[in-house]
Amino acid sequence: DGASTLRFAQRAESAHGVDYVDRHVTTARRDAEARGVTNVTFAVGAVTLSYLLFAVLLKTPLVPGVLGF
């Protein structure tokens, strides 16, 4: 439902949430909009651990369509 990502977004420059359940992403986007949170994105998919580590280490945003996400 994006609750964790929305909490992170309050303390970060940006936050990215990923869930493999479409309705959870829809709910998260709706909640972000209702709260006026604009520094967050949500995507449907699965994220591999190696991709997460790559994105964190290089400080790059998660990109839809990369490594099964």
Side-chain angles (χ1 to χ4, degrees):
D1 66 0
S4 298
T5 305
L6 289 171
R7 282 195 301 274
F8 290 131
Q10 294 174 341
R11 299 172 190 258
E13 184 177 318
S14 63
H16 310 281
V18 179
D19 199 307
Y20 61 90
V21 179
D22 186 53
R23 72 176 186 276
H24 293 175
V25 172
T26 300
T27 299
R29 288 175 177 158
R30 185 178 58 235
D31 289 350
E33 185 176 343
R35 296 177 188 190
V37 179
T38 59
N39 65 334
V40 64
T41 60
F42 296 98
V44 177
V47 176
T48 64
L49 180 58
S50 60
Y51 183 54
L52 279 176
L53 291 173
F54 175 78
V56 169
L57 290 173
L58 295 180
K59 298 181 181 178
T60 59
L62 299 177
V63 179
V66 176
L67 295 176
F69 147 79

